[in-house]
Amino acid sequence: MSKVPVELKYTDTHEWTRIEGDGSVAVGITDHAQEALGDIVFLELPEIGRKLAAKESCAVVESVKAASDVYAPFAGEVIAVNQAVIDTPESVNADAYAAWLFKLRPTDTGMATLLDAVAYQSAIAEE
């Protein structure tokens, strides 16, 4: 069974979010998503400064099985990308919640639409 940390918020498209100390939001893919993808071999992340709309496709995770889009959980500006996961994409498989992909500075309050751990766990149980 996939890990679903209670302190994070989730999307129905399998991204997790964590509010950082500076008010930015780290975004990654869930443990469930990395399990479904299999061995991750390549990541294409958004450019710093890119402005994203809520639910916009903004990154790609490629595994030996498939390529999958990553979606912005809410509108915001990309303020950081995780070079370490670009260099070692398999780190997402090792610990999906330690391997954030990019950070957003939110421009709307769409965070209210995110799922808590219980709701996300229910959603993935139905798949």
Side-chain angles (χ1 to χ4, degrees), residues 57-69:
S57 173
C58 61
V60 177
V61 177
E62 289 184 24
S63 72
V64 293
K65 292 199 278 188
S68 183
D69 288 334

Side-chain angles (χ1 to χ4, degrees), residues 13-89:
T13 52
H14 309 295
E15 291 85 20
W16 61 261
T17 66
R18 178 182 64 231
I19 298 174
E20 303 290 66
D22 63 0
S24 67
V25 179
V27 179
I29 64 168
T30 65
D31 195 46
H32 176 77
Q34 70 80 21
E35 283 177 359
L37 283 166
D39 294 336
I40 296 171
V41 295
F42 179 75
L43 295 163
E44 182 181 319
L45 302 181
E47 290 185 25
I48 292 172
R50 181 171 166 189
K51 293 188 180 5
L52 300 172
K55 303 191 184 299
E56 179 182 346
S57 173
C58 61
V60 177
V61 177
E62 289 184 24
S63 72
V64 293
K65 292 199 278 188
S68 183
D69 288 334
V70 176
Y71 300 92
F74 43 80
E77 180 181 347
V78 177
I79 60 166
V81 295
N82 188 347
Q83 187 63 45
V85 298
I86 294 169
D87 295 342
T88 56

